[in-house]
Amino acid sequence: MTAHDPAAVFDPAAYARGVPHALFRELRETSPVCRVPEPAVGPWPAGPGYWAVFRHADVKHVLRTPGLFSSHLGATQLRDPDTPGDLDFVRAMMLNQDPPAHARQRRIVAAAFTPRAVRELEAVVEARAHALVGAVAPEGAADFVELAADLPVWTLAHVMGVPERDRRLLVDWSNRVIGYQDPEHAASHTADPAELTPMGRAALAERPASPVRADGTPLNPRSREALADMFAYAHALADRPRPGSVMARMREGGLSRAEFENMFFLFAVAGNETLRNGVPGALLTLLDHPGQYETLRRRPELTASAVEETLRYWPPVMNFRRTATRDTELGGRHVRRGEKVVVYHVSANRDERVFADPDRFDITRTPNDHLSFGFGPHFCLGAHLARTQTRAMLRAAVDRLPGLERAGEPVRLTSNFQNGLTHLPVRWRTDR
């Protein structure tokens, strides 16, 4: 692979070294829509290749036109489901629906994520963030990835009614699904069975014994087979939902069995992992721009604007896939019916046609039309809650950890989908 080879945007190992922004910049200029191959990666077989979309306007066009670029035909992950049965199952997920089916599922749980509902959560989220940071403040050092990971897990557990003793199950499920390309995450076993509720222990007994099938082929981490323990837990939790919780709404909303299981997947995994990657990425971005960090420390009223700029600069999700419903033109290229079309938010967020000096990190940037929460009918339902949690964690770190700085090199997640860190060592003064 050469430095300017489009194939590099698919290679998970390329992102372990950092997002290849120079390559994305060149591709926006020379090949804003281009074919990218899908070679085999480790045990994972090769795929048919796809059309990659790099410019802001083209990304918006794809995301707001579900009749032409479907979330349902092939689902929304770059890699194809292994079998027709796997595809049928994941198509039941709200994320993998097109209107009007998508809107029906969205309405069932939307009440939990309105601005008013999130405002009612803000005080407890902020208190939790300050408690987490306050607990480690006397130590003078921490791995911020581990520290920050507790907040989205705690928040999700609160929203979903998951008992505190079972929270680590949410971490393990997220690691296995999102981090399957990263050896450290792929075999996550952080939940101690002795600490779990009986419901949690019963679900754990359903966990697949191996990440490979009997024939030696890898078990797709997003398949129902691979997540038997998570779905067993979902059904057990639904039998005893907390009134008003998301689980109660899901139970009462008339979802089919497959829709219910996929909705639980969406909350337990997507709602967790994006924040676990986004919050440490936001802090690292600030630490790597000390002038901006100092501005934020002196001017806390800029926190909301700073969060938007960290989202633009470090989007937690780098791409999403659609499938063409008919032959069409996109960016001057002929896309055939049934072909994959993958939009790169991580490139669109630095499109020179939209953002002045896009590689400059500026917490006062306005307007800031980033696409980190998507666009169109699938705009992230949890965006307001994600912003609330990010603001709370950054504010707690800036306020309570004086002299905060890196204590070593961060370790990036090996993934071509999630823009994440597995470790971010930091330190601060304890002299106050």
Side-chain angles (χ1 to χ4, degrees), residues 336-355:
R336 292 182 175 84
R337 179 182 182 276
E339 290 185 323
K340 298 187 206 182
V341 177
V342 178
V343 296
Y344 279 84
H345 312 82
V346 72
S347 173
N349 279 359
R350 299 203 187 193
D351 191 338
E352 300 81 358
R353 294 151 195 80
V354 177
F355 303 99

Side-chain angles (χ1 to χ4, degrees), residues 382-401:
H384 195 64
L385 183 56
R387 287 175 166 124
T388 295
Q389 293 179 81
T390 306
R391 286 197 304 266
M393 203 68 194
L394 290 182
R395 199 68 257 157
V398 171
D399 290 347
R400 306 195 64 174
L401 304 177

Side-chain angles (χ1 to χ4, degrees), residues 368-432:
N368 196 335
D369 189 20
H370 68 77
L371 300 179
S372 296
F373 289 123
F375 187 72
H378 279 280
F379 183 82
C380 178
L381 185 62
H384 195 64
L385 183 56
R387 287 175 166 124
T388 295
Q389 293 179 81
T390 306
R391 286 197 304 266
M393 203 68 194
L394 290 182
R395 199 68 257 157
V398 171
D399 290 347
R400 306 195 64 174
L401 304 177
L404 184 62
E405 62 182 5
R406 283 198 200 187
E409 286 299 310
V411 180
R412 291 187 59 91
L413 178 69
T414 300
S415 173
N416 59 12
F417 175 58
Q418 285 275 343
N419 186 17
L421 298 169
T422 58
H423 299 285
L424 176 57
V426 294
R427 62 191 172 206
W428 56 88
R429 300 193 312 273
T430 59
D431 56 0
R432 75 174 186 187

Side-chain angles (χ1 to χ4, degrees), residues 209-225:
S210 170
V212 297
R213 295 186 173 93
D215 62 3
T217 59
L219 190 61
N220 189 325
R222 289 181 172 82
S223 66
R224 194 184 189 288
E225 183 183 2

Side-chain angles (χ1 to χ4, degrees), residues 272-293:
N272 176 18
E273 194 67 20
T274 49
L275 267 294
R276 287 181 58 204
N277 289 321
V279 175
L283 182 68
L284 177 60
T285 302
L286 284 162
L287 294 179
D288 283 349
H289 297 82
Q292 296 292 298
Y293 183 92

Side-chain angles (χ1 to χ4, degrees), residues 65-89:
T65 318
L68 188 54
F69 301 103
S70 171
S71 298
H72 187 65
L73 282 181
T76 52
Q77 293 300 304
L78 194 159
R79 183 171 175 267
D80 290 325
D82 288 342
T83 68
D86 287 343
L87 175 58
D88 284 344
F89 177 70

Side-chain angles (χ1 to χ4, degrees), residues 8-28:
V9 304
F10 173 76
D11 182 11
Y15 298 89
R17 300 185 292 270
V19 175
H21 286 296
L23 174 60
F24 283 123
R25 185 184 313 117
E26 178 175 343
L27 292 171
R28 284 194 300 273

